[in-house]
């Protein structure tokens, strides 16, 4: 289990309601959903060309603007190493 710490954040009421709705829809607690959204926002800032999409298999990373998963692209690169 990863370590965690507490951060108090003030949100506009509508944002809070949105987090609560999403958490209820996905079966998570609002605090867990808020932490996940913040973490994904930070990752998106560092890697803007990667989209995270909800699939039947869970959250999956895709190359932005394509239907290619990051894992598939990685497999192809490893299959054909440069010379």
């Amino acid at each position: 289990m990863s370590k965690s710490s507490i951060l108090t954040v003030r949100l506009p009421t509508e944002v809070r309601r949105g987090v609560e709705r999403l958490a209820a829809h996905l079966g998570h607690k609002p605090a867990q959903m808020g932490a996940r959204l913040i973490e994904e926002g930070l990752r998106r800032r560092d890697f803007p060309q990667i989209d995270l999409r909800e699939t039947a298999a869970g959250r999956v990373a895709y190359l932005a603007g394509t239907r290619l998963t990051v894992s598939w692209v990685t497999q192809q690169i490893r299959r054909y190493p440069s010379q």
Side-chain angles (χ1 to χ4, degrees), residues 26-41:
L26 296 176
H28 297 292
K29 294 180 181 179
Q32 292 171 322
M33 184 57 44
R36 178 171 149 185
L37 291 170
I38 290 170
E39 182 181 0
E40 287 185 9

Side-chain angles (χ1 to χ4, degrees), residues 30-79:
Q32 292 171 322
M33 184 57 44
R36 178 171 149 185
L37 291 170
I38 290 170
E39 182 181 0
E40 287 185 9
L42 292 170
R43 285 184 183 180
R44 188 165 301 204
R45 183 176 179 184
D46 292 340
F47 304 100
Q49 60 278 57
I50 303 297
D51 281 336
L52 291 172
R53 300 179 194 165
E54 198 70 46
T55 70
R59 299 289 283 168
V60 177
Y62 284 82
L63 293 180
T66 73
R67 297 186 314 176
L68 303 174
T69 65
V70 171
S71 61
W72 183 84
V73 172
T74 303
Q75 287 174 346
Q76 300 310 306
I77 291 170
R78 288 182 179 150
R79 181 180 289 173

Side-chain angles (χ1 to χ4, degrees), residues 9 23 61:
V9 179

